[in-house]
Amino acid sequence: MKKSFGAGTLAFPTPVWLVGSYDKDGKPNVMTIAWGGICCSTPPCMTVSLQRPRYSFDAIMERGGYTINVPSERHVKEADFAGIVSGRNVDKFAATGLTPVRAEFVDAPYVEECPMVIECKLVKTVELGVHIQFIGEVVDVKVDESCLGANGQPDMEKVRPIIFGPMARSYHGVGEFLGQAFSIGKEIKEGV
Amino acid sequence: MKKSFGAGTLAFPTPVWLVGSYDKDGKPNVMTIAWGGICCSTPPCMTVSLQRPRYSFDAIMERGGYTINVPSERHVKEADFAGIVSGRNVDKFAATGLTPVRAEFVDAPYVEECPMVIECKLVKTVELGVHIQFIGEVVDVKVDESCLGANGQPDMEKVRPIIFGPMARSYHGVGEFLGQAFSIGKEIKEGV
């Protein structure tokens, strides 16, 4: 039996990402978001949604760029913290001990301690309601060499991103490898 | 040291969701997507991106509604299969043995075997490039009663959604509980 939870933002899994930007004075800031995802393969684009009053909102609009940083589970407290306080009042890098690094291609800082960082150029905003969607073209992705697998590709079990569950507001790690995409389903395909 | 992977769709984690729709003849279909996410709290909205040639594209445009179904890891093969073949040629429900159920509020089928199903009314499309973003207002979310925790809320470790890693094209399960959001970061906050 399925139970109805009505109309709401309840979907598993959602990401936990840190959006990096410089404010008008050049102070680096990060905010935590879970409303986002990849949205286009070519050009490569990602979306993150922000509320207009957020301190990062004007910063991104002014600079036209931002970073999406994938924290690993060892920084789950820092990631949560960056979603609780505002960069208007707090220097989140100083408070957490995380290290801001000027991005290579956009006017924004990335988080050195995050194993995967994505530089985005703002290309479009979409008004949706309480959230405005930022669509960013990915101009570069950098990954810690220590998080690459034997094939040279970023390895989920080394990056160890955080999974967020809305409603229960729970953070989870990633679990075991289940299979290879575009491959394990072929077993069914062959049987059709 | 970070290694640059250039401009591409490389971000962890991404979801694995089945988008359900009826074609022009009323045949139920599902397609697998990983490019999507929650995008607005009020009104509650989610986004999924589809390429125009996909069989589901016209179906959703015509019916104005679709479902987002969260498969659990026990259906990882079926989820992969639904991303390999087209509903133009294959009855994916018949091939997988999954069960289509007419949604309550939109003109689309949901997948009975998926522990979490989300009914969406199409409210906007955004042209991005090879993908078109569908923005859907969530009109209902249903969750298997067997997947609720002691608090009555959907439990990540019972739903057991699938995590997709682009580039390595790997599927993963969810791992251990890491902490409570909007809570575990307060330890840092109190130290500021």
Side-chain angles (χ1 to χ4, degrees):
Chain A
M1 267 300 282
K2 284 181 166 43
K3 178 181 173 181
S4 170
F5 283 85
T9 48
L10 174 58
F12 293 170
T14 78
V16 176
W17 291 334
L18 299 176
V19 175
S21 61
Y22 287 122
D23 74 3
K24 60 185 186 314
D25 300 321
K27 188 185 81 174
N29 186 31
V30 280
M31 73 169 288
T32 313
I33 72 106
W35 291 182
I38 293 170
C39 58
C40 186
S41 294
T42 310
C45 293
M46 291 181 63
T47 164
V48 294
S49 290
L50 276 72
Q51 297 187 43
R52 197 176 293 279
R54 293 290 171 267
Y55 193 57
S56 300
F57 189 96
D58 291 340
I60 293 173
M61 291 297 277
E62 282 166 18
R63 304 267 177 164
Y66 53 99
T67 61
I68 297 174
N69 302 267
V70 180
S72 86
E73 62 180 43
R74 73 177 178 281
H75 286 115
V76 65
K77 283 184 188 174
E78 288 81 356
D80 191 52
F81 172 76
I84 292 175
V85 298
S86 171
R88 197 173 276 119
N89 315 309
V90 177
D91 181 334
K92 300 189 204 178
F93 280 100
T96 55
L98 295 174
T99 312
V101 176
R102 179 169 288 279
E104 196 174 1
F105 300 103
V106 298
D107 190 10
Y110 69 75
V111 181
E112 175 62 24
E113 289 79 3
C114 287
M116 178 178 275
V117 301
I118 301 154
E119 302 188 23
C120 290
K121 186 178 63 170
L122 180 64
V123 291
K124 199 189 286 270
T125 59
V126 184
E127 299 272 344
L128 296 174
V130 70
H131 281 91
I132 290 87
Q133 190 184 41
F134 285 58
I135 294 173
E137 184 173 336
V138 176
V139 290
D140 194 37
V141 183
K142 293 175 176 64
V143 181
D144 282 355
E145 288 180 348
S146 62
C147 291
L148 306 182
N151 54 10
Q153 296 173 343
D155 185 325
M156 181 78 74
E157 295 182 46
K158 292 181 175 178
V159 172
R160 305 204 70 71
I162 303 164
I163 314 301
F164 175 62
M167 194 165 176
R169 297 179 152 199
S170 57
Y171 292 129
H172 298 260
V174 291
E176 62 180 12
F177 176 74
L178 298 175
Q180 202 60 39
F182 305 100
S183 174
I184 59 167
K186 285 181 186 168
E187 195 177 301
I188 297 174
K189 185 181 181 182
E190 287 160 7
V192 174
Chain B
M1 269 299 283
K2 285 182 164 44
K3 177 181 174 180
S4 170
F5 284 85
T9 49
L10 173 58
F12 294 169
T14 78
V16 176
W17 290 335
L18 299 175
V19 174
S21 61
Y22 287 121
D23 75 3
K24 60 184 186 316
D25 300 321
K27 188 184 81 172
N29 186 31
V30 280
M31 73 170 287
T32 313
I33 71 106
W35 291 181
I38 293 171
C39 57
C40 186
S41 295
T42 311
C45 291
M46 291 181 64
T47 165
V48 293
S49 289
L50 275 74
Q51 297 186 43
R52 197 176 293 279
R54 293 291 170 267
Y55 192 57
S56 300
F57 190 97
D58 291 341
I60 293 173
M61 291 297 279
E62 282 165 20
R63 305 266 177 165
Y66 54 99
T67 62
I68 297 174
N69 302 267
V70 180
S72 86
E73 62 180 44
R74 72 178 178 280
H75 287 115
V76 65
K77 282 184 189 173
E78 288 81 356
D80 191 52
F81 172 77
I84 292 175
V85 298
S86 171
R88 197 173 276 117
N89 317 310
V90 178
D91 182 333
K92 300 190 204 178
F93 280 100
T96 56
L98 295 173
T99 312
V101 177
R102 179 169 289 278
E104 195 174 1
F105 300 103
V106 297
D107 189 10
Y110 69 75
V111 182
E112 176 62 25
E113 289 79 4
C114 287
M116 179 179 274
V117 301
I118 302 155
E119 303 188 22
C120 291
K121 187 178 62 172
L122 179 65
V123 291
K124 199 190 286 271
T125 58
V126 183
E127 300 273 343
L128 297 174
V130 70
H131 282 90
I132 289 88
Q133 189 181 226
F134 285 58
I135 293 173
E137 184 172 337
V138 176
V139 291
D140 194 37
V141 184
K142 293 175 175 65
V143 181
D144 282 355
E145 288 180 347
S146 62
C147 291
L148 306 183
N151 55 11
Q153 295 172 345
D155 185 326
M156 181 78 74
E157 295 181 45
K158 292 182 175 179
V159 172
R160 307 205 67 72
I162 303 164
I163 315 300
F164 175 62
M167 193 165 176
R169 297 179 152 197
S170 57
Y171 292 128
H172 298 261
V174 292
E176 63 179 12
F177 176 74
L178 299 176
Q180 201 60 38
F182 305 101
S183 175
I184 59 166
K186 285 183 185 167
E187 194 177 303
I188 298 174
K189 185 181 180 183
E190 288 160 6
V192 174

